[in-house]
C-alpha cells in the first residue's frame, strides 16, 4: 500500500549506501514491497531477533547491523542458520547501518544528542565524504560526573558508563559517534570538543585521551545504537504500520 | 551413515578448491552430512534443477556450476529466488567446479578423453599450479571430419560440433579443456597438439587457430561438462546412495 | 589531404577511448596521416586481413578488433608475425573497439537496430560511464520466431541464430549489445526488454534467461560486428577515399 | 656488555616480526646496544610511560604496544610529543607486539594459561602462518562462575570480568587470545573450546557466542597483556639488568 | 606574530600537497607557529644543514627536500640521526617539494625562467592534475652554445652544464623542469620545445633526445633547485623574519 | 648451427629473467635461432644502433637496454620508429638487462671488478632474491684519488669520474653496482664497504654518503655498462660467430 512505499522511497532512499537496504527478500534492493503490515525493529540481525520478529507475525525485520558484511560465497554453517528463519518465515531483512548512524534527525547520534539537549548541532565523524556522528553545545555546561550519570541513565542504567576523566572541569562541547567509533577521537580533539561519547572503546584510547586532555565516555555499543531503530519504529507507526521492538541487549 | 561419509571424505576431499564443496546447507563446507539417502546430479545449479531435485526427494544436489561466483552481499532478487528452493526443501547444494574439470579419472576432460580412446594422457590447461584439462594421443589417427563426427555423437548429436578446420590432415595429438576454455588454445599449440577440443569458442579463436595451423572443435559447454557429474553419480551409486540425473541441456 | 584529416579529426575523434586510434604507424595515435588514398576495412586485425588489405594497395586497415589487448613486452612469435605485414607493406592499423560498439549512429548496435526498424532508441549496455549498445521499441511487435528469422537474414543466413525462447509471445522492446556481451543480460531485464540480442552467448545465460523470462538471440560475434566497420567504410567513401571491405567471416 | 647482547640476540631474536624490535634509538633495528644498565617495562608506549621510565634512569623502555603502527610521514603533533621524551632523555624504545602475544613460554596468553593451570597447551589464534594465543585443557573442570572469578582475581579485581554465559555447565577446554582478539571466536568454536578468553570484546561477539554455545570472558585489554612484559622483565633481571615495571592501567 | 601566520596561511597554503608543510615540530601540519624569529633555508634536509641552521639560532629550517619520503615505521639508524638535531635544538622542519617546483612565481622553474628572460610562460610538466615546471619563449633566440653558457653561469659555473646537442640551430621555445625530471622529455617534445632544461639526466635520455631532435641541458639537481628556496627566503625577509641561507652544494 | 644453439642455451639460459631474451624476432623468446652468422653488440637498443648493426649485416643485435620496458599497447610514434629498422632488415633483438648486471663472471660489475683487481668477490645489490652487483676486497688498498683515477682510465677518460669524498683514507672494500644504482648505497654501507662505485648518481646520495662516511664514485651509466656486452661479444667469437661492437657513448 501507499504508506509502505513511502517507508522505502521517502524515508529510506536518502539513507541508502554500501550494503544497506533490503538484504534478504524476494524483491531487488531498491524495490518497494507493497504489503508490509507488521514491521519489527532490532539493533542486530541474528537467529534470536529473527525468530522473535517471526513470532510477532512481522513481514520485515529492520535492523542496524545486518547479516552481510563484505563478501561471502557460501550459505553454510552459521550463515545458513541465520538465513534459515528468514526463508522459513517469509521474513524480509532491511538494514540501515552507517546511514542510520549519521542521519541528522533520526540517526543514533541524533537521538542521543537530543536526550542530552545539545544545541547548534553539526555533522561529526567523517568517513569518506559522509558523517557518522554529530557534535553540539550544551547550553548549561556539564560537570564531568554529571554527564557520566546522564549517559548512564539514558543508555544503560545497569552497566553504567566507563569514563576516562582527562578533560576540563566544565564540558560545553560534546562530540558523539555511537557504536565502536574510538578512531574518531582525533577528530573530536581537532574539533575542540571537551568530551567524546561513543559506545565501545579500545585500549589505545586511554593514552590518546590523556595526552590530548579530553573526556571520553564509553556508553555501550548496543545501548548507544537503540536510538536510531527506535526512531525508525516511530516513523513506521506514523505511517500506520504495526510495529514491534525486539529488545535484545548485549551488554557490550 | 558410513557410505555418505566416504562420499565426502574419500572421493571429494582431493577435489576441493576455491569455492567448491558445500555451498548451501547447515553444516560447514568440509563437514560430512550423515544422512544422505538420495543425491541428485546436474551440470548447473538453478531454480529448475533444484526443483526437479526436490521432486525426486533428494537430500543434496551435486553440480558443476554452483550458485556463488565471487562475492555477494545480499540475498535478494534472483539470488533469493535461487536460494529459496534449497531452504524450503531442506536440500543441500554441493559444488565441484575446476576440481571436476581437471580430475584425471572422473573429471570432464577425462570422461571425454576416455570416449575418444586417447592414450598416454597428461595434464593440460594450467591454471595457477593446477590443471583443468587433459591431452593424449590417439592410437589410430583421426581424419579431421572423423573427429568432428565422433565428438558430435558423444556430445550433442542434435546441435553438432563447430569445426575450425585449420590443422593437419591426420590428427594424433588431442588437447581437451571442457566448457569455456578458448584461452588455452596457445597452450595446446605450444604442446604440439593437432587438435584442441573445448565447449564454447570466442571470436578471437578463429584467427589464432588459422595462424597457428591447428584444428579447433567446439562441442558445447553443457555437452562437454556432463561427463564429470555422470562420473560422480556412478561413484555415489557404488556407495549405495540413490541417485537422479537432472538433465537440463542448455544448447550452449 | 583535407578529406583525410577529416577522417581522423571529425569522425573518429569522438570515438576515441582506451586502446583505440592508430595502433601501428609512424605518427602518434592522435595524429592525422596526410596521405591516405586507399583504406581497407575488416572486423579483425590478423595476418590474413592485413595481407588482403596490402594486396588491395591500402594505406591503412581500419578494424574493430585490433592487435593489442593490454600489455605486451616483446614483438616475438605470433605478435611478430602479425606486426610484420604492417611494417613490410607500409600499412597502418587503425582501431575502434568499444567506441564503435556504442556509437549511436555508426556503431554496431546502431546498424543492427536500423535494420530491425527500432524506434525511440536509447543508450544501453553501461560500461564505466559509457555505453556499448542500444535499445529501442519495434512499432510492429515481433513474434519470437519472426525476430529470429529477421536476425538470421540480416546477420548470418548460413549459420542461423540461436534462440533461447523464454520470453513473452509478443516482442516490443529489444536490447542490443553486439559481440560477446552476455554479461549485460541483467541490464536488459532491468530495462524491461522483451528480447536481448547479442553475438556470442555463454553457458550461464540459459538459466538466467529462463528465470527472468526474456528472449535471448545469439546472432554471431563476427556477424553482429560487421555493421560498424561497414558504416566507417561508407563514411570514408563520402570523403573520396578509395575503400575495400575485407570480408573474413569466422562463423563464431 | 655480554648480558645485554643476550637480551637482544638470545631472547628477542625469535620474537621479531613486522614492526617489532628497536623503534626509537641510534642503532639499527637488529643491532645490540652495548650499554643497557637499566631497562623499564610497560604495556604501552606513551608520554607518561616514557617519562616515568626516564625518571627511573632507564636506557630503554620495552613495551608491547609501540609508537609506530603502519606508515607515517611526519613527526608533528601527537607524534612529536611522544617522540620528544625519547630523544630528550636518550631513551630507546624496544617493542614486541604479536611475537609477545604468541610466544609459547613468555607470551601474554602463556602467562595467563599458566595462572589458570591449563595443560596440554597448543598454539591458537592463527594470523598468517603464526599464532597469537594458546589453548589448553583444565585438569579440574571449571564451573562458569568459577572461571569468571579466577580471571577477575588474576587480571583486574577492581573492574571484574564481563561474562557472556552461553556455554556448557562444565568448562574443560579454554582458548586464550589476549588484547582485542574477538575475531578469533570462530576459531575457538572450531577448535571445540568451551570457553574463549580475551581482553576487549566487540558488539558482534554477543550473538556469535550465543548461536555457537560458547562462554566468552572479557578480562581487559591492559590486564591480559601485562603477563608478557612482566616475563620479559624477569628475563632481564636474570641477566643482571636493573629493571622497573611502569604500571599504568587503562581500565580498558 | 602576525607576519609568521602570513608565512603559513597566505604564502604556503596554496603550495600544500602530499608530504609538504611541517614535517617536524610540535604543532599540527597546518598550524601556525606563532613565534618564528629566525628562519633558515636550504635545498636539502640533512644532519649538516640542520646543524648549521641551529648554529644560526633558527627556529625553523625550510627546505625543498624533506626527511620523510613515503612510509616509515621506526626512528632508528640514519632516521634517528637526522631527527635528533631537530629535537635537540627545538628546530622545526618545513618542507615544500613539488609545490615549490611548480609554483608559477616563486617556484624553481619560475626562477630559472626569469633569469633566462623567457616570455609567454605556461605551465609544463604534468603530474596528476598539477605541473612541476614551466615553458616559455625567448624573445631573442638562443644559439645552442649560448644557452649552455647562460645556464652554466646562472646555475653552476664550476661544474658547467651537460649538453645533448641534437636540436635545431636556433632555440626559441624552452621547457624547464628542475631536479630529476628526465621523464618529462616526451612532454617537451610534444609541446614543440626546441630545448629541454632539467637538473639530472638519465641514460635513456640520450637516444630519446637524438631521435626526437631536441636539445637537452642538464644543469645540476642542486643548482637548479636553489631558485625556489631563495624566493621563499626573500618572502620571509619581506615579512620581517631574520633569515639564513644554508648553502650546501652537492655537485649533483 | 650448433654454436648458435649454444649461444642461447648454454650461455644465456641462466641469465634469463623478466623482460630478457628475444624481444624482436619471429621465434618465441626461448627459441634457438638456427642461422646467426653475424651478431652485433651495443649497450642501448635505438634507431642508431639498430641501423649500424644492420649496416654490418648482422642477424641479431644483442643489448643491455632493450626497447620494451613494461607494458605497451601501440606500435606508433617513437616505438614504431625504433621497431622499423628491425622488421625492415630482418634483424632480431636480444636483450639481457639485470641478468647481465649481476652475472658473476660476464656481468657488468664482474668486468669492472676484474679491471680493479678485486678479490674475494661476493654477490651484492639484492633485488628480489637476485643480485645486480658485486663486492670485493683490494689486496693493495687504494688511496681515494687513486681509485678515482683508475676508474676514469677504465671507464671514461674524457668525462672523468665524479667523486663524493666522504670515506676513509685507505679503501679496501669496494661495492659495485653499474648503471643507475644509487639506491643500493645503504646496502654498501651495511656491508661495510669503504667505497661504492656506480654509474649515475642522484641528488639524495650526497648527504647519505656524507652521513654514512663512505666514498661514492659515479663512473658513468654508459661507461660502466659496456663491460657486460663486451664479454658477450667475446663469448660469441669463441663460438665462431662474426661480431661487431656498436660503440655509441652517451656521456651519461
Amino acid at each position: 500500500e501507499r504508506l509502505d512505499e513511502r517507508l522505502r522511497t521517502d524515508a529510506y532512499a536518502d539513507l541508502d549506501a554500501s550494503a544497506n537496504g533490503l538484504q534478504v527478500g524476494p524483491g531487488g534492493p531498491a524495490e518497494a514491497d507493497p504489503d508490509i503490515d507488521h514491521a519489527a525493529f532490532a539493533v542486530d540481525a541474528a537467529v534470536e531477533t529473527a525468530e522473535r520478529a517471526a513470532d510477532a507475525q512481522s513481514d520485515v525485520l529492520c535492523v542496524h547491523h545486518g547479516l552481510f558484511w563484505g563478501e561471502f560465497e557460501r550459505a553454510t554453517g552459521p550463515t545458513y542458520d541465520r538465513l534459515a528463519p528468514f526463508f522459513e518465515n517469509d521474513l524480509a531483512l532491511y538494514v540501515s547501518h552507517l546511514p542510520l548512524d549519521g542521519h541528522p534527525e533520526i540517526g543514533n547520534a541524533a537521538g542521543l544528542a537530543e536526550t542530552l539537549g545539545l544545541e547548534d548541532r553539526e555533522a561529526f565523524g567523517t568517513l569518506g565524504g559522509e558523517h557518522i556522528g554529530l557534535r553540539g553545545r550544551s547550553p548549561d555546561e556539564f560537570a564531568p560526573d554529571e554527564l557520566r550519570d546522564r549517559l548512564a541513565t539514558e543508555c544503560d542504567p545497569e552497566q553504567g558508563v566507563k569514563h576516562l576523566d582527562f578533560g576540563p572541569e566544565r564540558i560545553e562541547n560534546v562530540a558523539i559517534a555511537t557504536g565502536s567509533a574510538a578512531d574518531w577521537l582525533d577528530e573530536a580533539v581537532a574539533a575542540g570538543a571537551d568530551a567524546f561519547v561513543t559506545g565501545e572503546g579500545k585500549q589505545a584510547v586511554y593514552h590518546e585521551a590523556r595526552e590530548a586532555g579530553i573526556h571520553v565516555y564509553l556508553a555501550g555499543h548496543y545501548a548507544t545504537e537503540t536510538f536510531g531503530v527506535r526512531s525508525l519504529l516511530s516513523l513506521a507507526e506514523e505511517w500506520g504500520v504495526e510495529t514491534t521492538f525486539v529488545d535484545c541487549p548485549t551488554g557490550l
Side-chain angles (χ1 to χ4, degrees), chain A residues 57-68:
Chain A
Q57 311 298 331
S58 308
D59 301 304
V60 62
L61 173 63
C62 299
V63 298
H64 183 54
H65 299 128
L67 292 187
F68 299 112

Side-chain angles (χ1 to χ4, degrees), chain A residues 136-219:
Chain A
R137 201 176 47 74
S138 172
D140 314 303
E141 299 181 348
F142 294 107
D145 286 1
E146 183 192 352
L147 180 52
R148 186 197 59 212
D149 295 344
R150 278 284 288 278
L151 286 165
T153 307
E154 300 292 350
C155 292
D156 193 341
E158 207 173 322
Q159 301 244 2
V161 163
K162 196 161 281 183
H163 178 199
L164 303 179
D165 188 3
F166 299 127
E169 288 184 24
R170 303 300 302 168
I171 296 173
E172 183 179 7
N173 295 301
V174 180
I176 304 175
T178 59
S180 178
D183 289 342
W184 281 268
L185 175 61
D186 284 356
E187 186 179 334
V189 172
D194 303 310
F196 174 55
V197 179
T198 185
E200 293 183 295
K202 59 178 201 182
Q203 158 77 355
V205 156
Y206 179 89
H207 287 289
E208 287 167 21
R210 180 177 199 136
E211 292 167 11
I214 187 173
H215 292 282
V216 173
Y217 296 91
L218 306 173

Side-chain angles (χ1 to χ4, degrees), chain A residues 1-10 32-36 239 241:
Chain A
E1 54 187 301
R2 271 225 302 302
L3 288 177
D4 301 314
E5 288 186 1
R6 283 193 54 213
L7 177 68
R8 300 281 171 242
T9 47
D10 292 9
D33 186 330
D35 295 305
I36 293 178
W239 294 331
V241 179

